[in-house]
Amino acid sequence: MESGPAIFAGLVFALFGAGLLVWTTARVRHGRPVAHGVSPVASATAAAVAAVIALALGTWCLTQV
């Protein structure tokens, strides 16, 4: 019974992390800012770190099933 919420949370984290990583990569490749009013390097780094953390959490949730 507890595997349902773990699968849902794992998929949400994984989809969010993958989407954020793809979006950040696309913004950086086109030379556009990731966040307005912030250093381009700092905002791209923070977004990439958040994406990797979300992917890691999703992986962890899915391995706990």
Side-chain angles (χ1 to χ4, degrees):
M1 191 63 139
E2 291 85 17
S3 65
I7 292 171
F8 178 75
L11 288 176
V12 168
F13 277 123
L15 286 173
F16 174 75
L20 182 60
L21 195 58
V22 167
W23 180 80
T24 302
T25 303
R27 297 292 286 186
V28 169
R29 290 185 116 190
H30 288 108
R32 304 187 113 193
V34 176
H36 294 287
V38 184
S39 166
V41 174
S43 62
T45 303
V49 167
V52 170
I53 289 172
L55 283 170
L57 281 172
T59 303
W60 181 78
C61 286
L62 291 173
T63 59
Q64 298 301 311
V65 174

